[in-house]
Amino acid sequence: MANRRVPLVLLACGSFNPITNQHMRLFELAKDHMHSTGQYQVVGGIVSPVSDGYGKQGLVLAKHRIAMAKLALQSSNWVTVDEWESQQPDWTETVVTMRYHYGRILKEYEQSTGTHNNSSSNTTPLSSISPQLKLLCGADFLDTFKVPGLWLDEHVEEVAGRFGLVCVSRGRLQPERAVHESDMLSRHQRNIFLVREWVRNETSATEVRRALRRGLSVKYLIPDSVIEYIHQHNLYTEDSERRNKGTVLRPLTKQAQQPVKSLDD
Amino acid sequence: METHSITTVVLLACGSFNPITNMHLRMFELARDHLEDTGQYRVVKGIISPVGDGYKKKGLIEACHRLEMAKLATENSGWITVDYWESLQPEWVETAKVIRHHHEKLLTAEQNNDEVDTVKYTKKRRIEENYFEGSSHQKRRDSPQLMLLCGADVLESFGIPNMWKQEDIAEIVGRFGLVCITRSGNDPYKFIHQSDMLWTYRKNIHVVHRVGDQ
């Protein structure tokens, strides 16, 4: 049968403050790449904006970031916005968000194939392979694994080992290096997919916010509908950029409260 | 009311547009922001002029399609337009000629606006008389100044032997002016410095740096 590929859902976690065309490009590039491996069929993409508890400077309210992401993704027939992470009162570890989505996806899958509580049924087609969830990230993401205190080792282990990563780089070899320099990532190399983006069109949301504060054009960097929304709600101003200024990122304080097991290794 | 005179500008971009991309359109946005930020210019129009099929570049699809795509891409812009003239010419047209064509078109439009206005008549005469003089004269007029919008690669192509006629470069840069978008980190000033002709007209070359890789 032609379709023996693993159904794959791509999850992108981040601020999306605001969502940019580049964020959406990551999904398209990753999809093409995963299809080209011949092993996967990308069946969905999820944009999961971080909750307000993250404590990042300049982060506007989640309801706005969600609204903008939804507007932007109106043009996509496979990438959707999920509010679960953004609605959590506290910042959620990426691995916890992945567990939530994976649980949800598996349940849907089991319901659709009837494998759940229905072991007597013989009708489950052989081609039905259970879906996977992988984390989609930009090139700089792998480097965050190295930031002391930002990630718990067992979380990196679970994200890279159990789920897997699709990482889009901007022309250079930087992600290969990040994998090479980490013993843990190297161990899961086969589960880390590096996608090369040859067209240099990187747009950082930080630059978009800066241009907006200064009254400069951001047209063609983010969708027109999102630009309209930003102006309607007067979102990115000098005031909004001062939000959370001097606040320590929630991951750093939250995880400091937990025993860091890696020191024993 | 005027504190100092603000020159209106029309930006012209020539190229294959095969197909047009957001990056092409970003160049217009960046150029307008940059020029208006100087306080000396007001950018009133952008013109995209796709090259004709006679250009014979490898992989160049038919002009009618390239024009249609450019029109679709600029539908949501309040100031960027697509012009057919260059693409309809049976033979490839030198960029200097394309600029000249658009300059004449702008002057004609200006004259039509002035037609009923007898007070402006003498000024119109002056415009015509100054027609072939340098761009310093352009700035004193009411009619918009036309500038060529391009990437750093075009500026650098001025240095490639036999690629451009020297008098065309002089006309483009000297008479009209250039807005050159470059990635930050590149140094077009060095290139301008190394060319006597570009250096002569350096004040007509506006360099705009893109932040990141926008």
Side-chain angles (χ1 to χ4, degrees):
Chain A
M1 243 185 96
N3 197 6
R4 282 168 58 208
R5 294 172 175 232
V6 179
L8 179 65
V9 177
L10 297 168
L11 172 73
C13 294
S15 302
F16 300 100
N17 185 39
I19 192 166
T20 66
N21 288 350
Q22 174 67 11
H23 289 132
M24 297 189 280
R25 282 296 298 157
L26 292 184
F27 278 96
E28 297 294 325
L29 289 161
K31 186 185 182 188
D32 281 348
H33 180 87
M34 295 312 278
H35 284 174
S36 74
T37 63
Q39 300 168 55
Y40 295 94
Q41 180 70 40
V42 177
V43 294
I46 306 166
V47 166
S48 177
V50 78
S51 86
D52 292 335
Y54 188 45
K56 196 172 179 184
Q57 196 191 326
L59 194 68
V60 305
L61 291 178
K63 64 166 188 184
H64 291 308
R65 290 181 285 114
I66 292 278
M68 290 187 284
K70 282 185 174 169
L71 285 170
L73 289 164
Q74 270 173 4
S75 58
S76 173
N77 58 6
W78 68 283
V79 185
T80 55
V81 185
D82 191 277
E83 302 182 27
W84 183 84
E85 182 183 355
S86 71
Q87 283 170 348
Q88 303 309 301
D90 193 1
W91 168 75
T92 313
E93 293 88 337
T94 301
V95 74
V96 174
T97 304
M98 292 195 84
R99 282 181 208 145
Y100 161 79
H101 283 289
Y102 190 56
R104 193 177 54 76
I105 291 161
L106 268 191
K107 212 164 161 190
E108 273 172 29
Y109 163 76
E110 282 164 1
Q111 277 165 1
S112 68
T113 56
T115 48
H116 193 63
N117 290 339
N118 198 6
S119 48
S120 60
S121 164
N122 241 353
T123 54
T124 308
L126 281 171
S127 64
S128 172
I129 306 164
S130 73
Q132 288 188 16
L133 176 72
K134 293 193 190 298
L135 188 66
L136 171 63
C137 56
D140 37 1
F141 189 84
L142 289 178
D143 288 328
T144 69
F145 288 141
K146 286 194 295 193
V147 179
L150 201 56
W151 286 85
L152 293 176
D153 279 1
E154 62 261 41
H155 286 179
V156 179
E157 183 75 38
E158 191 175 339
V159 168
R162 179 181 169 208
F163 294 109
L165 283 163
V166 182
C167 182
V168 182
S169 79
R170 287 136 183 183
R172 303 252 162 74
L173 295 166
Q174 178 191 2
E176 272 99 326
R177 175 165 292 274
V179 174
H180 172 79
E181 286 175 357
S182 155
D183 289 343
M184 199 189 295
L185 293 179
S186 294
R187 224 181 309 128
H188 299 296
Q189 204 152 14
R190 284 176 52 202
N191 215 7
I192 300 175
F193 296 83
L194 300 177
V195 186
R196 190 67 54 81
E197 180 178 25
W198 293 106
V199 179
R200 297 173 56 122
N201 67 352
E202 145 188 3
T203 310
S204 80
T206 308
E207 278 309 327
V208 168
R209 293 199 304 278
R210 187 173 287 142
L212 285 164
R213 284 202 300 282
R214 297 177 182 178
L216 301 174
S217 164
V218 292
K219 202 167 163 75
Y220 311 115
L221 295 178
I222 60 177
D224 286 350
S225 53
V226 175
I227 297 177
E228 213 171 289
Y229 185 94
I230 288 168
H231 289 317
Q232 264 168 18
H233 295 83
N234 193 25
L235 282 192
Y236 294 104
T237 60
E238 297 197 0
D239 273 350
S240 78
E241 197 60 23
R242 277 193 290 270
R243 272 180 69 104
N244 297 323
K245 195 179 177 186
T247 308
V248 180
L249 277 192
R250 186 59 185 135
L252 296 172
T253 54
K254 190 175 183 180
Q255 281 164 178
Q257 291 156 8
Q258 303 178 20
V260 182
K261 289 177 187 163
S262 62
L263 291 177
D264 304 328
D265 290 348
Chain B
M1 286 283 281
E2 286 180 10
T3 45
H4 59 280
S5 69
I6 289 178
T7 310
T8 55
V9 172
V10 172
L11 295 170
L12 171 71
C14 295
S16 303
F17 301 100
N18 184 41
I20 191 161
T21 68
N22 282 352
M23 190 80 89
H24 294 128
L25 298 163
R26 275 302 290 163
M27 289 174 63
F28 278 95
E29 297 287 325
L30 289 166
R32 181 167 76 157
D33 277 348
H34 176 88
L35 290 175
E36 296 197 345
D37 192 52
T38 63
Q40 296 172 52
Y41 301 102
R42 196 163 60 85
V43 179
V44 293
K45 193 182 178 180
I47 304 169
I48 289 172
S49 179
V51 78
D53 292 336
Y55 189 45
K56 305 261 184 251
K57 193 173 174 181
K58 184 171 169 285
L60 192 70
I61 67 163
E62 279 172 81
C64 66
H65 294 307
R66 291 181 285 114
L67 281 157
E68 192 55 37
M69 290 186 284
K71 276 179 74 178
L72 287 169
T74 52
E75 258 174 8
N76 291 323
S77 173
W79 66 286
I80 307 171
T81 59
V82 182
D83 191 274
Y84 288 76
W85 183 83
E86 182 183 356
S87 71
L88 292 176
Q89 305 309 304
E91 282 293 315
W92 173 70
V93 185
E94 289 96 324
T95 303
K97 283 188 188 153
V98 178
I99 305 179
R100 246 179 262 151
H101 163 82
H102 284 285
H103 183 67
E104 280 162 31
K105 215 171 135 184
L106 284 172
L107 281 180
T108 313
E110 179 70 15
Q111 282 168 15
N112 290 341
N113 286 344
D114 286 352
E115 212 98 272
V116 285
D117 192 342
T118 46
V119 186
K120 281 187 177 173
Y121 183 72
T122 45
K123 190 158 55 188
K124 189 179 79 184
R125 286 292 299 272
R126 202 173 68 227
I127 290 166
E128 285 161 350
E129 281 156 17
N130 286 341
Y131 191 81
F132 283 103
E133 294 180 33
S135 71
S136 55
H137 291 278
Q138 261 198 356
K139 283 170 193 159
R140 268 196 261 123
R141 300 179 197 148
D142 283 353
S143 76
Q145 183 178 348
L146 187 63
M147 293 189 196
L148 186 68
L149 173 64
C150 64
D153 51 331
V154 170
L155 187 70
E156 287 180 19
S157 77
F158 286 160
I160 301 171
N162 303 322
M163 182 124 175
W164 293 84
K165 288 183 201 150
Q166 291 306 295
E167 63 265 34
D168 279 5
I169 299 176
E171 186 177 356
I172 292 169
V173 187
R175 181 177 167 207
F176 296 105
L178 206 67
V179 185
C180 174
I181 314 280
T182 181
R183 192 167 284 152
S184 48
N186 281 10
D187 188 7
Y189 293 110
K190 190 179 165 195
F191 192 79
I192 295 165
H193 174 81
Q194 286 169 349
S195 153
D196 285 344
M197 190 190 292
L198 294 180
W199 191 82
T200 309
Y201 300 119
R202 66 195 177 280
K203 285 182 179 145
N204 286 342
I205 304 174
H206 304 269
V207 175
V208 185
H209 285 281
R210 279 187 293 180
V211 179
D213 289 316
Q214 295 178 13

